[in-house]
Amino acid sequence: MKKFRKVLDGLTTSSPVNPCGSPACGSAAGTPSTAPTPRELEIQETLMSEHFQICKTVRHGFPYQPTALAFDPVQKILAIGTRSGGVRLLGRPGVDCHCQHESGAAVLQLQFLINEGALVTACADDTLHLWNLRQRRPAILHSLKFNRERITFCHLPFQSKWLYVGTERGNTHIVNIESFILSGYVIMWNKAIELSTKTHPGPVVHLSDSPKDEGKLLIGFESGTIVMWDLRAKRSDFRIYYDEAIHSVSWHHEGRQFMCSHSDGSLSMWNLRNTAKPFQVTFPHGKTQRDGRKESCKPILKVEYKTSRNSEAFVVFSGGLSYDKAGRRPTLTIMHGKAITVLEMDYPIVDFLVLCETPYLNEVQEPYAVVVLLEKDFVVVDLTQSNFPIFENAYPMDIHESPVTCTAYFADCPPDIIPVVYSIGAKHKKTGYSHKEWPVSGGTWTVGSQTYPEIIITGHADGSIKFWDATAITLQMLYKLKTSKVFEKPKSGDMGRSAELVEEDPYAIQMISWCPQSRIFCVVGISAHVIMYRFSKHDANTSITSLEVRLQCEMEDVISPSDTENTPCFSDPSGLSPQPQPPSPRSNMPDSVRDSIPCLKVKDRMIRMPPGYQAELVVQLLWVDGEPPQQITSLDLNSAYGLLALGNCNGLVVVDYLQKTILLCMSTLELYGSADPFQRLTRSPRKNRQSTSDFCMRGLSNFYSDSKKRIRTSYQSLTELSDNQVSLDLERSKSPTSESRENSFSRSRSSSVSSIDRETKEAVTTLQFVESYGCKSDTLPTPCLWVGTSLGLVLIIPMSIPTDEQERQEDPVTVAPTGTVLMLKGSVLRFAFLDCGGALINSPYEVWRDQHAPDDPDRPRKRKLVNFSSSSSQEASGDGHLAVVCSERQAKVFFMPSQACLYVHNITESSFVLRADVVSVCNSVCLACFCANGHIMTLRFALTFLFVFKWETVESSVNRD
């Protein structure tokens, strides 16, 4: 992880004092108006620029380009080194720490000071580092640089104060681990192999102390030479000259024998009583050919020889396969007596370690697991079971097991939600894994400095959903849900369905909406479907209700030339004209066949659903006149209202999920009624429908590239239009009537393309249920749906919802668009609502109750609603509230119910906002925006005088690498 500098440097942008003096400040239709005069607002502003800075929190995922592995058998802590100089420390699930060498040099080897909370790292820049792991953030205590020799191998005996360091020149140096300085004792290569020997033995590839005598050091050279060096007598006890290169050496615990692995794929066993030749040489994977010779094999890169008290010894090694078996995956071989087990790995093996019950080399080892570090994975094998199953990985190493297609972050969740979801997820473990506990169990898991639970939800290309606990310093997976189980598997010969148009990932997740309080969960899929789930601790046999919706414009809505430059088309994410795709298998089918059908088929039978999230309702958009449904662009649900809303480039749908009915299905144009501020022209249908159809439902791989194209194209179009922005702002201040007449000619002249080329539909880009004011004449807030569109317009739709529970289940909910319109520049991204004291107003919600729980007199039978009442007192609610609306380019504050624009801030002229949210920080509220140019902008509210807000901007540039 690159070291982040402080990015919010206190730069501020002054704002105009007069709230309605700016030409861009206006009322609902863009005309300046005077705000009403309610009682004074007293908002205490506490935010300052120094409250915002980017800092390191946690590094998640598999270590990139791993190089080395080490394990503390007492503390049971694992360390992984990387090519970029990083070190990852892993213990029990939740114990995860990352530290980085400032030099960035690759980590060659790791050595724990066993049970002492310290670690030695040897790096490619020939420097040794001693890390202290006993403090909150690991830090380097000492460093030692080798200037004239390159480090090749290190060895630190258990409970020893001497670190042995082998070099490329064949010399062995000894470092005092306490002072971390060279002792002056050097074992020169020419003394080790006899002074009379002129041939250099090569680099030191192995160092180990004898289990029988810690005063004896075994030195292995690359050429095949092995020397037993007496540290006290400063001479060699014996020398072995073997004609095959050595890669590793491993001792028997009694100290009378050791095993070597060689470059020809052989293993040699040596006895200290007779070192003239090995008493056993085996080629584990080499077959004897007809002429009696062994077939050539690949090198055995590492071997470990471990003894067991109640069974035969284990010999574990990597490599050694014969060369004639081309295309075989990397293997780890386990030899237990006469049985040989070959485990194939998905990626090349970087290193492995055999985990044993004791840290002492002179005791029976009792191996119980093998940790295998791969280039892109991490595997632990259980040696205590005969079939050697692997452990289910306790660390979420690969969040992109299936590509992540959307994410959602939830802070300050109910405190019981994480344990409950985790307990359900723990019951859904996969079969075939070891039943024993995860062997890397060291460290102490503690909740971080946060006092509130945080959850991240990821949606994936295969339709799966994963819940992650983000409260501590690492992500811990809580629960996994597969949305594909709701649908029947599409048949290749099923000509009545259209799943083939999304060949790659028909279940890919695009949007997530979750109410943690009620535990109701909704997802949007790429096949224009919405699935609603309820949470239950009990299994259930139930059926899934399916609602099918025709949401298609009967005519093409064309914006007049005066309005085409407001925003790029949302229905086409690339910002470009749809490109023709290869014809699908249904291209020759008549349109009548492909009408009023969904893209996927919902299971229409009783289904047994396990505990956890259980599907209750599926809403699917249908094919219309031979065209597939446009992808859903916005979603919101409210558990107190019992409603969910979805929108796309054709219009809006509101669903009552309690009564399982559709309340509203209207095109965007119909929502305005007579209040439409744009001049729209009616044109004949497109001639080339197939190109648009294929674009909307093409595979997910193309969807990714289109997103990138949209950023580039939109950024370029915004840059081109920046020169004309002053005139556009002036024109915005005029009435809708004059803007349609006067701006039409001027803006079409300034545009580089004609209105026909800039044809666009108006997409619903954001939705939010909230208690607000549907009309200026309202005196009390009522349930409303706020709708934002790609043309920068905001519609407020009031609703009448029965408050009695029995009436709510039977009486209809009334949804009545009133034509209330607010206007901004750019596509609307976010709504937020504040009370007159500047505090966030949360939407009402339903308290969770388990509908499938057995009858219990203590269990609540009725719906319990929080902050849901349309009969609030005049004193509490009559003063109105503030509505913050953020678009791709602009943010506005409106006072409700008068709909007066209190202040407007142009966030960016040269780029556009990708994501925005209003959050509470330090008991105050700020608007955070992430722009396409990589900038993060935080805007705060500062009261200058009555009803005038000053947005102080602090802008930061984030390194997007």
Side-chain angles (χ1 to χ4, degrees), residues 101-165:
H101 294 89
E102 291 186 2
S103 65
V107 178
L108 299 179
Q109 198 173 350
L110 300 164
Q111 289 279 306
F112 272 103
L113 277 68
I114 296 175
N115 200 31
E116 294 186 24
L119 177 72
V120 174
T121 57
C123 297
D125 60 353
D126 305 311
T127 305
L128 298 174
H129 303 276
L130 178 62
W131 291 80
N132 179 12
L133 308 180
R134 289 171 291 188
Q135 56 194 51
R136 183 175 180 85
R137 286 187 177 274
I140 295 177
L141 292 178
H142 302 287
S143 297
L144 179 61
K145 173 73 173 177
F146 282 66
N147 294 319
R148 298 183 178 179
E149 296 189 69
R150 302 194 65 85
I151 299 173
T152 56
F153 196 88
C154 297
H155 172 62
L156 179 63
F158 179 44
Q159 296 180 333
S160 172
K161 67 177 182 179
W162 303 110
L163 172 67
Y164 301 97
V165 182

Side-chain angles (χ1 to χ4, degrees), residues 33 46 55-56 90 116 198 248 250 269 399 532 551 604 666 699 738 793 879 914 961:
S33 64
T46 59
C55 60
K56 297 178 183 178
L90 299 170
E116 294 186 24
K198 296 181 179 180
S248 67
S250 184
M269 286 288 294
I399 196 172
M532 195 205 81
L551 185 60
D604 56 0
M666 298 177 68
S738 62
L793 300 182
D879 289 336
L914 289 172
D961 295 336

Side-chain angles (χ1 to χ4, degrees), residues 777-826:
S777 59
D778 289 351
T779 58
L780 292 176
T782 58
C784 291
L785 175 63
W786 281 58
V787 181
T789 76
S790 59
L791 295 183
L793 300 182
V794 178
L795 298 96
I796 306 174
I797 303 177
M799 300 173 292
S800 176
I801 302 176
T803 56
D804 180 77
E805 182 171 5
Q806 185 65 28
E807 293 178 352
R808 178 65 185 87
Q809 298 291 339
E810 299 175 355
D811 294 351
V813 174
T814 303
V815 181
T818 60
T820 301
V821 178
L822 310 176
M823 183 177 291
L824 289 85
K825 297 177 186 176

